[in-house]
Amino acid sequence: MLNIFPKLSEIPQELIVEKSIEQGSSLINGELVRLDTDSQDVCSPIAINHGGELKPVRLGSHPLMNHEIAGEILASSISAMRSEVWKSKSIDYRASCIEEFIHELAKYKDEIVRLLMWESCKPMAEAISEFDRTIEYIRLTIDAYREMYSGSETQYSNGFAGKIVNSPVGVVLAMGPSNYPLYETYSLALPALLTGNSVIMKVPRYGALLHSSIINLMQGAFPAGAINVIYGKNEETINPIMQTGNIDMLAYMGSNMFAEPIIQSHPRPYKLKKLLGLDAKNPAIVLHDADIEETAKELALGALAFNGQRCAAIKIIFAHSSIYNELMEVLRREIESEKIGMPWDSDVRITPIFDRNRILYLKTLMEDALSKGAINYTNGGGTVLHTIFIPSLLGNITPNMRIYSEEQFGPIVPVVKYEDLDETIEYVSNSDFGQQISIFGKDEKVIADLARAYYLQCGRVNINTKCQRGPDIFPFTGKKFSGAGELSVTSTLREFTLRGVIAGKDNSITNGVLGMI
Ligand code: G3H
C-alpha cells in the first residue's frame, strides 16, 4: 500500500523539487531583513518511494522570529499608522498599489500552486482554484471599495447636516490558517491594507514557503511599515506584541485553541476589535425523501474534499431511520471509491495530511467511537499509511462519543440515525458551534421550516448542497464559538473600517465645510 507514495520517476517533471527555498529574511519596515534567528525546516508530507523505503522531501526553511524582532515589527506598524505614509493616501492610490501588486502576483501562479501541492498536499485542481480565487477576491474587493467609499452624500436631519466618514481601525494583526494558507491569509491582509490600516501579517505554520515570493513583491509595492510579516511561534511573536495593548484589531482564521491565548494576551481584550473564523461542526440533515444517490455524492464531497481539512466541511451526518441503511450503503460505495494519491494525480481527493498531530487525533477519535459501539462501514477506513489517513464511514454514532461533538478536521464521516427532526434541532441548539448546516430532501415546506429553525443557530443554511464559504459575495459568518464578524468582498471592508461623522447645524458654514470633505 505504501506504493501510493511515488517513485522519483513517477513525479511529473515540472513539479520535481529541484531547489529548496531557504527563506532567511522577512519584510520589516519596508526592507527584506536577513534574520539570524532560529529557523524551521520544512519537509513535505509527501515521501518518495525508494525501493519500498520512504524518504522525506525537504522543501526548505523559514525564520522563527523571537519577541525582540516581533517588537521591532510592532514599532514599525505603529509608526506607519501615526504617519501619513499609507492611511492618509487617497482611495485610488491605495487601490492602485494593490492592483499593481496583484498583477505581479499573478505571474507566480505556477510556483505557488506547486508549493500548495508539496507543502499542504492540496489536490492540483483545488490549489489552482485557491490561487485564482485569491486574485479574484482581491479584484472584487478593490471594485467594491471604490464603489462604497469614494465619497458620501451630505445627509440632513432635524436641522443638522452631516457626512459619514471612514477611517482605518489602526494596527491590524492578520492571521490565516494552514488549510488555506494563500486565500484566507490574503483575503484578510489585503482588504485590511486597502482600507488604510497598518498590517502585521503572520505566516501560517504549514504552507509557509509559498509566501517567500509574495513578500518580495510586497517590499516593492507598499511603503515602509504599511505591511510587516511575522514568521514563528505565537508564544514567541504574537502573544508578546498582543501584551503591549497596541494591536487594535485581530483578523484571524483558525481554531479557538490558538485564538483564545492570543486574545487573552491583550491587556484589555474588550478593546480589541475582532474578525474571527473559528471551529465548526457542520451537520448535514438527510430527510426521508432525499435523493439518496445525489445526496451521497454531495455528502462525500462536502465531508472529504481536501481530506475534510476545511472549516466548512460537513462534519456529522444525521440520516432518517427510514433511509439510514440505504444511505450508508451508497455512502460506503462513494467513500471507498474516493481516489487516494498525490496532489497531482487527476481527480484525487484524499492526499497526505499536512499536520502529523492531526493523524494521531483522528486515530484517537476513531478508537473512542469504536470502543463505544460505532461501526466502521469502510474497508480499511481509518488505516494510516505514513501520512495518509484512509477515509472512514462511521455509523451508529451516539452522543457519548467524542466525534459526536468534536471537530475532526479530517477524513472521518460520522453518521447518526434519527427518528424525529427535533433531535437534529436539539443537536444544533446544544452545539458549541454555529457555522453552517446542510439539509437534503424534497419537501419544500419541511425544508423551509427547518431552515427557519437552523438559521437562528448557524451562519448559513444550505439546501441540497454541501456547506461552503463561496460564492464570496455571500457573508461568511459563524455564530457561537464558530466566529465573530462577517467576511465577504464587501463586508470584510466594513469590518476593517471605523465609521464616523462630520456634522453641524444646517447652515452655510457647515455646508461649505462638508462640500470640501
Ligand atoms: O477552511 C475554511 C473554509 O472551509 C473555507 O470555505 O472550503 O467552502 O471555500 P470553502
Side-chain angles (χ1 to χ4, degrees):
M1 276 298 259
L2 290 179
N3 288 342
I4 289 178
F5 290 92
K7 295 188 188 119
L8 197 56
S9 58
E10 288 166 349
I11 301 171
Q13 191 61 35
E14 66 283 9
L15 297 179
I16 288 179
V17 182
E18 273 165 0
K19 197 164 170 287
S20 62
I21 297 175
E22 308 304 335
Q23 173 69 33
S25 58
S26 188
L27 179 60
I28 305 178
N29 202 32
E31 301 293 333
L32 291 169
V33 179
R34 282 214 74 75
L35 298 162
D36 57 3
T37 55
D38 292 346
S39 64
Q40 173 73 56
D41 265 4
V42 179
C43 277
S44 175
I46 300 169
I48 306 286
N49 189 344
H50 283 268
E53 198 190 330
L54 293 182
K55 293 256 173 78
V57 179
R58 187 177 176 282
L59 300 175
S61 63
H62 62 76
L64 285 176
M65 290 179 174
N66 55 35
H67 68 276
E68 279 156 10
I69 294 168
E72 282 172 34
I73 282 179
L74 177 62
S76 158
S77 300
I78 294 171
S79 142
M81 202 61 220
R82 288 184 182 151
S83 74
E84 305 294 307
V85 291
W86 184 246
K87 71 163 192 263
S88 308
K89 295 286 194 254
S90 69
I91 286 174
D92 263 333
Y93 176 83
R94 288 201 300 265
S96 35
C97 285
I98 294 182
E99 264 165 353
E100 180 57 27
F101 167 73
I102 288 295
H103 178 75
E104 291 301 310
L105 179 60
K107 298 177 186 164
Y108 289 81
K109 178 171 176 172
D110 290 350
E111 176 188 322
I112 291 172
V113 165
R114 199 171 66 94
L115 283 165
L116 277 169
M117 287 191 272
W118 276 105
E119 206 179 347
S120 309
C121 291
K122 190 158 279 201
M124 188 188 283
E126 291 181 50
I128 292 172
S129 148
E130 178 166 351
F131 187 90
D132 292 344
R133 183 181 183 185
T134 307
I135 300 281
E136 178 68 1
Y137 189 99
I138 301 308
R139 290 206 170 118
L140 290 173
T141 299
I142 293 170
D143 292 347
Y145 186 54
R146 285 205 164 105
E147 199 179 314
M148 287 160 70
Y149 293 108
S150 53
S152 68
E153 296 293 312
T154 302
Q155 297 178 37
Y156 298 93
S157 178
N158 287 338
F160 278 83
K163 247 185 190 179
I164 304 293
V165 284
N166 299 289
S167 58
V169 180
V171 177
V172 173
L173 176 58
M175 299 176 66
S178 293
N179 63 333
Y180 281 91
L182 181 77
Y183 166 65
E184 288 192 334
T185 303
Y186 292 94
S187 65
L188 293 176
L190 292 176
L193 200 55
L194 181 62
T195 41
N197 297 281
S198 288
V199 179
I200 299 176
M201 189 186 99
K202 162 88 194 301
V203 169
R205 181 161 171 219
Y206 302 102
L209 296 179
L210 64 85
H211 301 273
S212 177
S213 310
I214 306 180
I215 65 169
N216 287 352
L217 288 179
M218 281 176 167
Q219 196 263 332
F222 305 113
I227 183 157
N228 288 295
V229 180
I230 286 187
Y231 285 86
K233 298 199 166 102
N234 287 356
E235 313 86 71
E236 294 292 323
T237 57
I238 299 303
N239 299 1
I241 61 171
M242 267 290 164
Q243 279 160 9
T244 66
N246 287 319
I247 301 290
D248 300 297
M249 179 166 178
L250 173 66
Y252 175 94
M253 302 290 284
S255 75
N256 283 281
M257 187 171 81
F258 293 109
E260 197 174 328
I262 296 172
I263 294 167
Q264 296 303 344
S265 298
H266 197 288
R268 282 156 294 165
Y270 64 90
K271 182 80 183 50
L272 179 70
K273 190 164 189 220
K274 298 170 208 73
L275 174 58
L276 308 173
L278 301 169
D279 305 338
K281 184 78 182 172
N282 295 339
I285 314 300
V286 186
L287 304 176
H288 69 90
D289 60 352
D291 178 323
I292 298 297
E293 291 285 337
E294 289 302 312
T295 300
K297 278 195 176 55
E298 193 70 11
L299 289 173
L301 177 65
L304 295 176
F306 188 31
N307 298 305
Q309 299 168 123
R310 297 169 48 240
C311 62
I314 289 173
K315 302 205 172 109
I316 189 160
I317 298 169
F318 285 78
H320 189 259
S321 57
S322 61
I323 46 94
Y324 180 86
N325 289 339
E326 189 189 351
L327 180 72
M328 292 306 273
E329 182 46 32
V330 182
L331 251 185
R332 183 191 62 73
R333 207 181 62 212
E334 284 292 328
I335 293 173
E336 284 183 350
S337 62
E338 286 294 346
K339 193 161 166 193
I340 301 171
M342 295 302 113
W344 48 80
D345 294 336
S346 57
D347 302 323
V348 75
R349 213 173 264 173
I350 303 299
T351 58
I353 286 183
F354 58 78
D355 176 3
R356 312 267 168 132
N357 292 330
R358 178 65 44 184
I359 297 173
L360 300 176
Y361 178 64
L362 291 170
K363 284 179 75 162
T364 310
L365 289 183
M366 284 276 297
E367 280 159 17
D368 171 76
L370 293 171
S371 73
K372 292 171 183 164
I375 299 165
N376 190 355
Y377 279 71
T378 30
N379 190 13
T383 306
V384 177
L385 303 167
H386 190 52
T387 47
I388 288 185
F389 190 97
I390 306 291
S392 163
L393 174 65
L394 285 185
N396 212 24
I397 296 297
T398 48
N400 60 335
M401 299 171 188
R402 289 177 60 184
I403 197 146
Y404 184 82
S405 49
E406 291 181 32
E407 177 183 25
Q408 62 271 43
F409 208 76
I412 305 178
V413 186
V415 187
V416 180
K417 188 197 288 187
Y418 74 89
E419 298 292 339
D420 191 308
L421 280 168
D422 283 347
E423 294 166 47
T424 69
I425 294 173
E426 196 179 335
Y427 178 85
V428 174
S429 305
N430 291 339
S431 173
D432 281 344
F433 307 110
Q435 192 201 67
Q436 298 200 11
I437 189 164
S438 290
I439 311 170
F440 292 89
K442 296 199 185 89
D443 188 320
E444 292 166 20
K445 168 88 173 60
V446 173
I447 296 174
D449 285 345
L450 284 173
R452 260 186 234 110
Y454 297 144
Y455 87 69
L456 298 173
Q457 303 283 337
C458 302
R460 172 163 165 171
V461 178
N462 300 281
I463 303 161
N464 287 316
T465 181
K466 68 183 171 65
C467 301
Q468 60 197 332
R469 174 168 169 175
D472 288 324
I473 54 150
F474 286 157
F476 182 55
T477 62
K479 295 190 167 82
K480 301 193 258 187
F481 287 103
S482 286
E486 186 177 313
L487 293 144
S488 77
V489 289
T490 48
S491 40
T492 305
L493 291 169
R494 286 194 206 100
E495 296 283 355
F496 287 125
T497 307
L498 297 177
R499 268 152 62 92
V501 66
I502 298 174
K505 293 206 172 113
D506 180 8
N507 57 33
S508 66
I509 294 181
T510 303
N511 280 295
V513 171
L514 293 178
M516 292 180 214
I517 304 280

